[in-house]
Amino acid sequence: SIFLSTIANVPTFAQTSNNPSLVRVQDRASENNLSEEIAREKQGKEFYEKGKFNEAISFWQERLLIIRQQGDRVSQARILSNLSLAYQQLRQLDRARLAISESLRLAKSLPTSNRFRVLAQALNNQGILELALGNSQQALISWQDAEKAYKQVNDEIGILRSQINQVNALQSLGMYRLALKNLERIQPSLEKQPNDRLKIAGLTSWGHILTLVGDLDKAQEVFDRTLTVTSELSLTKETAELFLELGNLAKAKNNTQAALDYQKGFDVCNNLSTCDSFAWAAPNRINTRILLAQLNLNLELDRLEDALDIWQEISTDSLVAKIWEDSSLAQNDIKSRLISDRANIYERIYLARS
């Protein structure tokens, strides 16, 4: 599972069914062939999870050519859905759209016996693309449809995954109370989940929404609990993101702990490429987001020299510089206005705050 935004949106990769009662008849492919194909596709997933997106794309494209010749529409739909995720990470958004559209077209054409699981995967990953593009309402619809498809095959983990992602879409739409209500509804399912990335994603979303609605003590409890899980599992990126959340929570409490939590998150990820592998835009990279949070904190505390030092560090990032170039905002202009117009510059540079 990969986290693609401030709060985790959980993608779906191909997997064999855990329910022996499910019948999955393949187009010109036996069940044994399906298992073998999924095993082959896992190499692409391994590339993806290591941040080697070009390698993942090359691998899946090669597999796609082979299975097209075999007429296996199930595997085609599945691989195209995976390719969409990888294209997103490289900011090749037109290709991502085309891949997920073709995946959905193929999934909808499959026999009922195996349509819903493949369709659910494609819908889930379509939602991730829509949210990344700022289409929160469409992302919500995609994840609601994914939940319905997962229910058709009694996939409890898939249902939970789509429900967590729906919460993130509601948050993006500013519907915090409804997001919290939905999270509370799925808490029993989340509690039954073993300590893994999916559970961490749900708990992190819960703590984040609690912070937004002002239930700060409960948010602290949830984040502390989640931090224990990420530390036990040695999940570096998730731990760093939790320190960012804890820093934001401390800031909401007007607590000086905020600066310490931000720094802890930065230290966890510093010089570790695994923290920043999964983001197609610089503001989504965890170290960049932590630096931006530190910058905001220093601006609010009128620590302008410290703020300028942080900005100079951020602006050395080539991806950040490209964003400023695209927005016609010169770095020299940022530096000069940092001191003279603090309120305005906050709106321009604190990109990653959710």
Side-chain angles (χ1 to χ4, degrees):
S1 303
I2 314 300
F3 302 107
L4 301 175
S5 66
T6 303
I7 298 299
N9 297 304
V10 191
T12 310
F13 290 102
Q15 59 185 2
T16 53
S17 171
N18 295 321
N19 188 339
S21 67
L22 291 177
V23 179
R24 303 175 63 193
V25 179
Q26 305 303 317
D27 293 1
R28 304 183 190 174
S30 67
E31 184 70 22
N32 288 338
N33 288 341
L34 171 66
S35 298
E36 291 174 4
E37 178 56 37
I38 290 177
R40 294 188 191 100
E41 290 170 23
K42 283 184 179 179
Q43 185 175 342
K45 179 184 175 184
E46 290 171 3
F47 283 135
Y48 184 98
E49 291 183 337
K50 292 177 181 177
K52 297 180 178 181
F53 305 119
N54 283 311
E55 290 89 338
I57 288 170
S58 295
F59 180 83
W60 281 325
Q61 285 176 334
E62 289 177 6
R63 293 305 311 160
L64 191 59
L65 287 173
I66 294 170
I67 62 176
R68 274 179 174 160
Q69 294 175 351
Q70 298 171 347
D72 181 357
R73 290 184 294 154
V74 172
S75 295
Q76 287 181 61
R78 203 172 49 238
I79 292 178
L80 284 163
S81 178
N82 293 345
L83 276 168
S84 177
L85 291 173
Y87 286 137
Q88 286 179 57
Q89 296 294 345
L90 296 180
R91 214 173 180 183
Q92 297 176 15
L93 301 183
D94 287 340
R95 290 184 176 183
R97 288 191 193 97
L98 287 172
I100 200 64
S101 295
E102 180 66 8
S103 176
L104 285 165
R105 186 190 68 79
L106 286 168
K108 291 174 182 178
S109 73
L110 296 172
T112 305
S113 56
N114 51 30
R115 177 190 310 155
F116 292 107
R117 186 175 298 279
V118 179
L119 180 61
Q121 173 189 344
L123 286 166
N124 188 73
N125 293 348
Q126 181 188 47
I128 292 173
L129 176 60
E130 294 292 354
L131 195 67
L133 293 170
N135 303 328
S136 302
Q137 185 64 47
Q138 188 56 51
L140 178 61
I141 293 170
S142 294
W143 285 324
Q144 288 171 338
D145 290 342
E147 180 183 358
K148 294 174 185 176
Y150 280 124
K151 285 180 176 178
Q152 290 289 329
V153 291
N154 299 317
D155 185 337
E156 293 184 3
I157 292 177
I159 293 168
L160 181 60
R161 179 189 295 112
S162 60
Q163 289 172 334
I164 291 171
N165 285 341
Q166 287 173 54
V167 167
N168 298 333
L170 289 170
Q171 175 213 306
S172 182
L173 290 165
M175 303 171 71
Y176 304 134
R177 293 292 176 182
L178 182 56
L180 181 59
K181 181 179 179 181
N182 284 6
L183 272 170
E184 290 171 344
R185 177 171 55 84
I186 67 175
Q187 280 310 301
S189 298
L190 195 60
E191 293 299 334
K192 291 191 296 184
Q193 185 71 11
N195 288 341
D196 59 10
R197 280 190 165 96
L198 182 60
K199 187 170 188 174
I200 290 167
L203 290 173
T204 303
S205 292
W206 190 20
H208 186 79
I209 297 297
L210 287 167
T211 302
L212 291 174
V213 300
D215 194 346
L216 304 184
D217 290 339
K218 182 64 174 178
Q220 183 78 52
E221 177 187 330
V222 172
F223 284 142
D224 287 343
R225 175 185 170 193
T226 313
L227 186 62
T228 300
V229 177
T230 63
S231 299
E232 287 177 355
L233 298 178
S234 300
L235 298 177
T236 307
K237 180 177 181 290
E238 288 80 356
T239 299
E241 288 187 328
L242 276 167
F243 277 123
L244 175 58
E245 292 285 357
L246 284 164
N248 291 338
L249 176 61
K251 186 167 168 288
K253 292 180 177 181
N254 296 315
N255 190 326
T256 56
Q257 180 68 28
L260 296 175
D261 285 330
Y262 289 148
Q263 189 59 45
K264 285 179 184 177
F266 188 83
D267 290 343
V268 165
C269 262
N270 199 22
N271 297 321
L272 291 176
S273 60
T274 53
C275 284
D276 282 342
S277 295
F278 308 107
W280 56 262
N284 286 335
R285 297 162 69 184
I286 180 61
N287 276 4
T288 304
R289 284 189 280 132
I290 291 172
L291 285 170
L292 287 167
Q294 291 175 319
L295 173 60
N296 174 53
L297 182 63
N298 282 313
L299 287 171
E300 291 192 0
L301 296 175
D302 288 320
R303 297 173 181 168
L304 298 181
E305 290 186 5
D306 290 340
L308 184 56
D309 288 341
I310 292 172
W311 168 246
Q312 288 171 336
E313 182 173 356
I314 294 171
S315 64
T316 61
D317 188 302
S318 60
L319 286 174
V320 175
K322 181 65 168 62
I323 288 173
W324 300 139
E325 179 184 336
D326 290 345
S327 62
S328 301
L329 186 61
Q331 291 187 34
N332 288 336
D333 182 47
I334 290 173
K335 292 177 182 178
S336 65
R337 294 172 67 183
L338 179 61
I339 294 175
S340 63
D341 193 358
R342 179 163 64 94
N344 183 56
I345 200 64
Y346 165 74
E347 296 296 331
R348 305 288 288 277
I349 62 182
Y350 195 28
L351 298 176
R353 183 63 179 275
S354 59

